[in-house]
Amino acid sequence: MTKEDLLQTQQRIQKLVHRTPVMSSQQINGIAGAEIYFKCENFQRMGAFKMRGAINAILNLSKEDQQKGVVTHSSGNFAQAVSLSAKTIGVPAYIVMPSTAPEVKKAAVKGYGGEITICPPTLEDRQGNADRIRDEKGATFLHPSNDKDVILGNATAAMELLEEQPDLDYILTPVGGGGLVAGTALAAYFFGKNCKTIGGEPFEADDAFRSLQSGEIESNETANTVADGLRTNLGNINFPIIQKYVDRIIRVEEVEIIAAMRLIWERMKIIIEPSCAVPFAALLREKDNFKNKKIGIIISGGNVDLGKLPF
Amino acid sequence: MTKEDLLQTQQRIQKLVHRTPVMSSQQINGIAGAEIYFKCENFQRMGAFKMRGAINAILNLSKEDQQKGVVTHSSGNFAQAVSLSAKTIGVPAYIVMPSTAPEVKKAAVKGYGGEITICPPTLEDRQGNADRIRDEKGATFLHPSNDKDVILGNATAAMELLEEQPDLDYILTPVGGGGLVAGTALAAYFFGKNCKTIGGEPFEADDAFRSLQSGEIESNETANTVADGLRTNLGNINFPIIQKYVDRIIRVEEVEIIAAMRLIWERMKIIIEPSCAVPFAALLREKDNFKNKKIGIIISGGNVDLGKLPF
């Protein structure tokens, strides 16, 4: 993926996504001992950066393929992102959701116009149903993180951030399926001035950390973390990008994630998902390494179940 | 208070306060059936609009009086606003706090450099201690809402909002001690184009509603509301302004306040105090009266105890 690819992607999607604000807080900077710029994708359409990748992937389909629609399986933000993107462009969206998905998420997908298929909550059932719909409808399957166009779309958040703060020393993102950190690393490489990309990951779901060590895609045996967006594994498209462009991954404890999340809620008055708190927790954990540096953090989303807060 | 007073106030304080963002949400607009612009004073320094009035009041003191310091009694946002304003200008701040004030609030005041005196939690003890400090130190007593300079400072939030959205039909604010709604009404009168100011008040603390009916300052017998910032009464300085410039006051039920607060948290991803949800709840309660109108809402603050959420 080239610099030109990123620029074309930004051009393609920019009228259909929000240019989210970059926020900072003197109090947070004081606590961290660094100058931090938060790119607030919690204020993105449908509440997460996933909108960028989803809409880019759909825009890149041929007219003919667009008419046949898109299909994905997801219980989370990507389901909403695909539904809203498809609705925005005028394309059918078929969303396979596990029967265990919260009613509020199903309602959100329905609200955005997605056609839901409920299936048993196993990966086989989810993929099987998505494959069946793909075959029946001729719809295109969209993967939430292991997809070139999704990665390019995700990159535009860091591109915007670097337009406002061109001389960042680091950009930190959470690492789940790898689509955000890969896109961010491409943006930092092509548009930063020696800007390094660092991923944050829970110890409880440190597949990406281990993958970088072993040189192969590792999976999580368990994923007992409050950062529920980070339980997924890397894929064969984003992993080589991560190997090449991501500086390193910092792992954090659950208590650190919850404390970092609470700090951002209390001091910045913004609602962020636990997953977004992971890179900030990583910075606080290794404070000395970031002292007086200029740091961007991608706040990936703000879709939280207010009835189930960890504090 | 004249248009010139407001302009001078804005000039005086604008470098010492944040120009807070104005946010809107298509989802919220869809639910409300109106075009709403939220002036986000939850992102103000110390987390609330009170910063504007406090810093204006201190800036308006003579150099001599500034050196002697300022004193107030408060368990909430005004204590933090006076402490941070005084610190910003380099003036001593004496804060009388009831022994029942939460530790986190005491810590915030201390963090901003305020000198705390703890007293028994009665209004007599609070005022008595403040009077004693005023006499001992020669400090100037600052009232959180019934003070001309505080009202003028508060007005600048609506002035900024009207600079960005000049043709608002209405501006809604919560009504507690009356300082915010009075300042807002002045701004709407002098800088709006036939822009009406409406206050939101809980049925459980509807002193201002009753005051406007009776023509005298009424008090709350009880104030059993989740909107803990709105339990106070109007004062002799702000009441005549409210009588003259505020269109009317809409009262709301507790369940309406909590639902409105949750809606803003969930859809807009910002943290607001229960008190700030009151004007939005008022709009939803009288939806038909605001249909397709352009409405500003002052989000007054975001200092919430995350351990004690009403949902």
Side-chain angles (χ1 to χ4, degrees):
Chain A
M1 285 172 242
T2 65
K3 187 170 181 173
E4 192 52 36
D5 289 333
L6 271 73
L7 287 167
Q8 281 176 5
T9 300
Q10 189 179 35
Q11 193 65 31
R12 186 181 304 120
I13 71 170
Q14 67 187 359
K15 283 193 183 147
L16 301 175
V17 298
H18 289 327
R19 185 175 180 114
T20 52
V22 176
M23 298 182 83
S24 57
S25 155
Q26 288 177 22
Q27 288 192 323
I28 294 277
N29 287 351
I31 291 164
E35 199 178 325
I36 310 177
Y37 297 91
F38 293 92
K39 176 67 172 168
C40 290
E41 289 292 300
N42 52 332
F43 296 141
Q44 187 52 266
R45 294 181 70 193
M46 53 63 59
F49 77 95
K50 302 246 177 200
M51 186 70 195
R52 295 176 184 266
I55 205 154
N56 188 47
I58 300 175
L59 284 170
N60 262 338
L61 296 176
S62 68
K63 285 276 164 230
E64 195 185 356
D65 281 342
Q66 282 186 354
Q67 277 166 11
K68 291 180 193 153
V70 290
V71 58
T72 194
H73 59 82
S74 162
S75 59
N77 283 333
F78 197 66
Q80 295 183 48
V82 169
S83 303
L84 181 57
S85 297
K87 186 186 180 190
T88 303
I89 303 170
V91 163
Y94 307 101
I95 313 292
V96 178
M97 298 185 85
S99 52
T100 49
E103 284 308 317
V104 58
K105 301 246 173 180
K106 292 181 202 163
V109 167
K110 214 173 274 177
Y112 292 134
E115 191 175 303
I116 299 176
T117 302
I118 300 293
C119 74
T122 74
L123 190 56
E124 291 69 38
D125 282 298
R126 288 168 56 155
Q127 191 65 56
N129 274 277
D131 289 348
R132 181 180 52 72
I133 292 168
R134 183 195 59 202
D135 295 343
E136 279 175 21
K137 307 277 184 183
T140 303
F141 178 75
L142 296 183
H143 192 281
S145 53
N146 196 43
D147 178 300
K148 179 172 168 284
D149 292 320
V150 167
I151 294 167
L152 285 169
N154 296 345
T156 59
M159 288 169 72
E160 289 174 8
L161 174 57
L162 284 162
E163 280 171 19
E164 291 186 38
Q165 296 296 334
D167 54 349
L168 293 176
D169 298 303
Y170 298 96
I171 302 185
L172 274 62
T173 81
V175 184
L180 177 62
V181 75
T184 301
L186 288 170
Y189 176 77
F190 288 119
F191 299 97
K193 298 172 183 166
N194 196 24
C195 173
K196 288 179 178 154
T197 301
I198 293 181
E201 204 174 31
F203 274 101
E204 292 288 338
D206 67 346
D207 57 297
F209 178 87
R210 288 183 286 105
S211 300
L212 280 183
Q213 284 198 317
S214 71
E216 284 171 31
I217 296 174
E218 306 286 343
S219 45
N220 292 309
E221 297 294 301
T222 60
N224 186 25
T225 175
V226 68
D228 54 352
L230 308 185
R231 292 172 186 154
T232 43
N233 303 324
L234 304 180
N236 66 322
I237 297 172
N238 59 47
F239 183 48
I241 301 172
I242 292 168
Q243 285 181 301
K244 187 166 176 189
Y245 296 109
V246 172
D247 189 55
R248 66 195 179 98
I249 287 172
I250 298 171
R251 293 175 297 173
V252 293
E253 306 284 356
E254 294 301 299
V255 289
E256 293 174 313
I257 300 170
I258 295 168
M261 177 175 167
R262 184 162 189 156
L263 207 51
I264 290 178
W265 282 48
E266 284 183 342
R267 306 301 171 108
M268 296 188 63
K269 319 296 180 193
I270 60 175
I271 290 175
I272 65 164
E273 297 174 7
S275 304
C276 316
V278 170
F280 180 53
L283 189 163
L284 293 180
R285 185 181 173 94
E286 298 201 1
K287 247 175 152 177
D288 290 347
N289 293 329
F290 295 106
K291 204 166 174 59
N292 297 327
K293 297 291 181 190
K294 252 181 124 165
I295 299 159
I297 293 182
I298 311 285
I299 295 291
S300 46
N303 292 331
V304 181
D305 184 345
L306 293 178
K308 287 183 187 166
L309 296 178
F311 41 70
Chain B
M1 284 173 243
T2 66
K3 187 171 181 174
E4 191 53 34
D5 288 334
L6 271 73
L7 287 169
Q8 280 176 6
T9 300
Q10 189 179 34
Q11 194 65 31
R12 187 181 302 119
I13 72 171
Q14 67 186 358
K15 283 191 182 148
L16 300 176
V17 298
H18 289 328
R19 187 176 178 113
T20 53
V22 176
M23 298 182 83
S24 57
S25 156
Q26 287 177 22
Q27 287 192 323
I28 294 277
N29 287 351
I31 291 164
E35 199 178 326
I36 310 177
Y37 297 91
F38 293 92
K39 175 67 172 169
C40 290
E41 289 291 300
N42 52 333
F43 296 141
Q44 187 52 267
R45 295 181 71 192
M46 54 63 58
F49 77 96
K50 302 244 176 200
M51 186 70 194
R52 295 176 184 267
I55 205 154
N56 187 47
I58 299 176
L59 284 171
N60 262 337
L61 296 177
S62 68
K63 284 277 163 227
E64 195 185 358
D65 281 342
Q66 282 187 354
Q67 277 166 13
K68 291 181 194 153
V70 290
V71 56
T72 194
H73 59 82
S74 162
S75 60
N77 283 334
F78 196 66
Q80 295 183 48
V82 169
S83 303
L84 181 57
S85 297
K87 186 186 178 189
T88 302
I89 302 171
V91 163
Y94 307 101
I95 313 292
V96 177
M97 299 186 84
S99 52
T100 48
E103 283 308 317
V104 58
K105 301 245 173 181
K106 292 181 202 164
V109 167
K110 215 174 273 179
Y112 291 134
E115 190 176 303
I116 300 177
T117 301
I118 301 293
C119 74
T122 74
L123 190 55
E124 289 70 37
D125 281 298
R126 287 167 57 155
Q127 191 65 55
N129 274 277
D131 289 348
R132 180 180 53 73
I133 292 169
R134 184 194 58 200
D135 295 343
E136 280 176 19
K137 307 276 186 184
T140 304
F141 178 74
L142 296 183
H143 192 282
S145 55
N146 196 43
D147 177 301
K148 180 173 169 281
D149 293 319
V150 167
I151 293 167
L152 285 169
N154 295 346
T156 59
M159 288 169 72
E160 289 174 9
L161 174 57
L162 284 162
E163 279 171 21
E164 292 186 38
Q165 297 295 334
D167 53 351
L168 294 176
D169 299 302
Y170 298 95
I171 301 184
L172 273 62
T173 81
V175 184
L180 178 62
V181 76
T184 301
L186 288 170
Y189 177 76
F190 287 120
F191 299 99
K193 299 173 185 165
N194 196 23
C195 174
K196 288 180 179 151
T197 301
I198 293 181
E201 204 174 32
F203 274 101
E204 292 289 337
D206 67 347
D207 57 297
F209 178 87
R210 288 183 285 105
S211 300
L212 280 183
Q213 285 198 317
S214 71
E216 284 172 31
I217 296 175
E218 305 286 345
S219 45
N220 292 308
E221 297 294 303
T222 60
N224 187 26
T225 174
V226 67
D228 54 352
L230 308 186
R231 291 172 186 154
T232 42
N233 303 326
L234 304 180
N236 66 321
I237 296 173
N238 59 47
F239 184 47
I241 301 172
I242 294 168
Q243 284 181 302
K244 187 165 177 189
Y245 295 110
V246 172
D247 189 56
R248 66 195 179 99
I249 287 173
I250 298 171
R251 293 174 299 172
V252 292
E253 305 283 356
E254 293 300 301
V255 290
E256 293 175 313
I257 300 171
I258 295 169
M261 177 176 168
R262 185 164 187 154
L263 206 51
I264 290 179
W265 282 47
E266 284 182 343
R267 304 301 170 109
M268 296 188 63
K269 320 296 180 193
I270 59 175
I271 290 176
I272 65 164
E273 297 174 7
S275 304
C276 316
V278 170
F280 180 53
L283 189 163
L284 293 179
R285 183 181 174 95
E286 298 201 359
K287 247 174 149 176
D288 290 346
N289 292 330
F290 296 106
K291 203 164 173 62
N292 297 327
K293 297 292 182 190
K294 251 182 125 165
I295 299 159
I297 293 182
I298 311 283
I299 295 291
S300 47
N303 293 331
V304 182
D305 184 345
L306 293 177
K308 288 183 189 167
L309 295 177
F311 41 69

